[in-house]
Amino acid sequence: MPENDFPEQKTSESNSLPFEKDPQIALNLQHIEINGISGPLVIFFGPRNIGKTVTLLRLCTHIAHYDIRPDETFRTDDQYQDTIKTFEEVRRNLKFAPSATGNINFLLLNVTHMGSRFCQILEAPGEHFFDEENPGKDYPVYLNKIINSDYRKVYVIFFSLDMFKKDQDKFNYTSKIGRLLRERVNSKRDRVVIVCNKADLQPFMNAGKPVEREFRDALYKQDTFRLLYDTLEKGGFGHIPFVPFSAGSFIDDGEGKFAFALSDKQYPARLWQEIHNSIEGKAWWKIW
């Protein structure tokens, strides 16, 4: 296989009925309304259990000076109002581990600053992006329409150094991302941010701060992720930020509950800085 070639995506009859194993997910997919998305759209891209929802909650605590509201029109199924309610409740109280995040993993947020919309953020179920059991499965219709839309998109792509138990799953995930970036993402319009999540579980720290180079090396030097690095380098995206991230720690309080200790503000600050720069460009006083 040539060094920068990814295997072609295989489709099957089952792909015409995505997510049939979960009727609720199938129902939700039939009630998606994307006409309210005008961009710039920040897409949290990653598989199950990678920490996208908790990252979103931590980010929201950092940008509290923005007006952050779920888009009421994104989903028209009855369960969406419960999703919005749970999101608001968890966002207001992160004292204990946000165990209800499974209920809020499919929503669209409108982020407004001084009366003007700055961006929108999409947090969708991990299996919409990558399914270990069916790695060649196509993206659902609503996501395909979003990918094909003309507005700017910022793909915040999630990894962690210990993600997946099998190397083949890592390779399949990386391959799917590679195909997306090479074939469908407009490098002149769209931007990519790489997040290495759960950084607090790794030893690559110095004086309480993550050493970015060591995290980059630990990820990209893995054989299963090396092809992604080549694609990023040759994809015409320019500088691609690499952000080690931690949302926080879960601590047993001794009474059967896990307290959620928010991560240091450096983590959401850096992530938001890179998202902000991807939308508006780096401020001139930070260039010189």
Side-chain angles (χ1 to χ4, degrees):
M1 180 186 298
E3 183 176 344
N4 60 349
D5 280 358
F6 291 88
E8 292 299 320
Q9 181 170 335
K10 297 180 180 179
T11 59
S12 65
E13 291 295 328
S14 64
N15 289 343
S16 63
L17 294 172
F19 320 114
E20 64 273 7
K21 289 182 293 185
D22 189 334
Q24 182 56 55
I25 292 178
L27 173 64
N28 289 346
L29 290 178
Q30 296 176 30
H31 290 79
I32 302 300
E33 177 55 67
I34 66 170
N35 291 335
I37 302 178
S38 58
L41 178 65
V42 179
I43 301 174
F44 276 24
F45 188 111
R48 304 181 190 93
N49 302 320
I50 196 65
K52 301 193 310 297
T53 304
V54 181
T55 297
L56 178 63
L57 290 165
R58 182 66 183 98
L59 190 64
C60 286
T61 64
H62 176 71
I63 59 172
H65 54 292
Y66 287 76
D67 184 19
I68 307 168
R69 298 187 184 185
D71 189 298
E72 299 278 352
T73 67
F74 176 60
R75 282 169 44 195
T76 58
D77 57 279
D78 295 338
Q79 289 74 21
Y80 190 44
Q81 291 305 313
D82 291 336
T83 297
I84 292 174
K85 179 181 178 181
T86 304
F87 171 77
E88 296 292 4
E89 289 176 350
V90 174
R91 184 161 65 125
R92 286 193 297 268
N93 182 17
L94 282 174
K95 180 178 180 181
F96 291 102
S99 58
T101 56
N103 298 327
I104 58 175
N105 69 348
F106 197 7
L107 80 166
L108 177 72
L109 297 182
N110 294 321
V111 181
T112 303
H113 185 57
M114 298 182 68
S116 298
R117 180 188 291 171
F118 179 74
C119 71
Q120 296 170 288
I121 302 176
L122 173 65
E123 215 295 69
E127 58 269 22
H128 291 195
F129 300 106
F130 178 75
D131 188 343
E132 297 166 63
E133 298 181 5
N134 189 357
K137 182 166 55 181
D138 195 8
Y139 301 109
V141 172
Y142 84 92
L143 197 51
N144 271 311
K145 290 181 178 179
I146 287 173
I147 293 171
N148 294 335
S149 296
D150 292 333
Y151 46 76
R152 170 170 285 188
K153 291 169 282 289
V154 180
Y155 293 88
V156 180
I157 303 178
F158 281 73
F159 292 86
S160 69
L161 296 182
D162 58 354
M163 70 187 307
F164 302 127
K165 296 180 179 179
K166 300 177 182 178
D167 284 346
Q168 187 63 47
D169 291 332
K170 296 180 183 180
F171 181 77
N172 291 339
Y173 177 56
T174 302
S175 297
K176 190 168 187 179
I177 293 170
R179 288 191 300 271
L180 173 69
L181 297 181
R182 286 191 297 111
E183 299 171 6
R184 304 187 62 185
V185 175
N186 186 333
S187 61
K188 294 182 179 180
R189 178 197 61 210
D190 302 328
R191 297 294 180 265
V192 176
V193 177
I194 301 296
V195 170
C196 189
N197 204 16
K198 307 179 184 181
D200 55 309
L201 303 179
Q202 303 299 327
F204 310 124
M205 309 289 288
N206 183 25
K209 296 183 178 181
V211 181
E212 181 181 324
R213 177 174 296 180
E214 294 186 9
F215 277 95
R216 288 173 62 94
D217 289 347
L219 182 69
Y220 289 142
K221 287 186 177 180
Q222 294 185 44
D223 290 340
T224 49
F225 293 139
R226 192 169 297 152
L227 288 177
L228 175 65
Y229 178 78
D230 292 339
T231 299
L232 295 175
E233 286 290 296
K234 300 172 184 177
F237 291 98
H239 171 67
I240 297 179
F242 186 97
V243 182
F245 188 84
S246 170
S249 302
F250 300 97
I251 303 170
D252 189 344
D253 69 352
E255 298 180 359
K257 292 184 178 180
F258 283 87
F260 183 56
L262 295 179
S263 63
D264 189 274
K265 64 180 181 181
Q266 64 178 311
Y267 292 105
R270 170 75 193 290
L271 178 56
W272 181 248
Q273 178 186 41
E274 299 299 353
I275 291 173
H276 188 282
N277 290 347
S278 295
I279 294 171
E280 287 208 335
K282 185 172 291 188
W284 65 266
W285 60 83
K286 296 183 179 180
I287 298 176
W288 301 101

